[in-house]
Amino acid sequence: MSMGYVLKEGFAGFARTKLASVTSVIALTLAVILLSVLGRFAFNTYLLAQSVRASIDVEVFLMDIDDRRTASIKEEIRNFDIVESLTYISKDSAAVIFRQEFGTEGSSLADLNFLPAS
């Protein structure tokens, strides 16, 4: 059998059975479109989950405790596998940051020493 004969008979079959041919082509087209939409949705969901995972920040506020206990808490947190970085902010540093962000309006509140270490 030659390739020309196969193609000619294939298209002749489409002409002989118009309804079945159109129905099967439409069904296959819809199946491919639905699979591609589902694949794109799954990929976008994966990218969104990765983005959310990368942007999670956790702040731990410490009550008034001594420096030795603070150091042990920092070491415990640092030992977790999921911790990528650790930044300690003392009460004094928190007051400076508060003054920078709120300017003169918040300066009276920063003097109250209500900001915890974190």
Side-chain angles (χ1 to χ4, degrees), residues 33-47:
I33 289 172
L34 287 175
L35 279 174
S36 63
V37 167
L38 178 65
R40 187 61 190 185
F41 178 76
F43 182 70
N44 284 345
T45 304
Y46 171 76
L47 290 179

Side-chain angles (χ1 to χ4, degrees), residues 73-91:
I73 290 173
K74 286 193 313 189
E75 198 57 40
E76 287 177 28
I77 293 173
R78 190 174 281 126
N79 288 336
F80 288 119
D81 292 335
I82 60 172
V83 175
E84 289 182 8
S85 66
L86 179 79
T87 305
Y88 175 72
I89 300 174
S90 67
K91 289 179 107 176

Side-chain angles (χ1 to χ4, degrees), residues 12 14 28 33 97 118:
F14 281 127
L28 286 173
I33 289 172
I97 293 169
S118 60

Side-chain angles (χ1 to χ4, degrees), residues 40-59:
R40 187 61 190 185
F41 178 76
F43 182 70
N44 284 345
T45 304
Y46 171 76
L47 290 179
L48 180 65
Q50 293 300 319
S51 172
V52 167
R53 182 177 178 219
S55 67
I56 293 177
D57 291 333
V58 176
E59 252 183 73

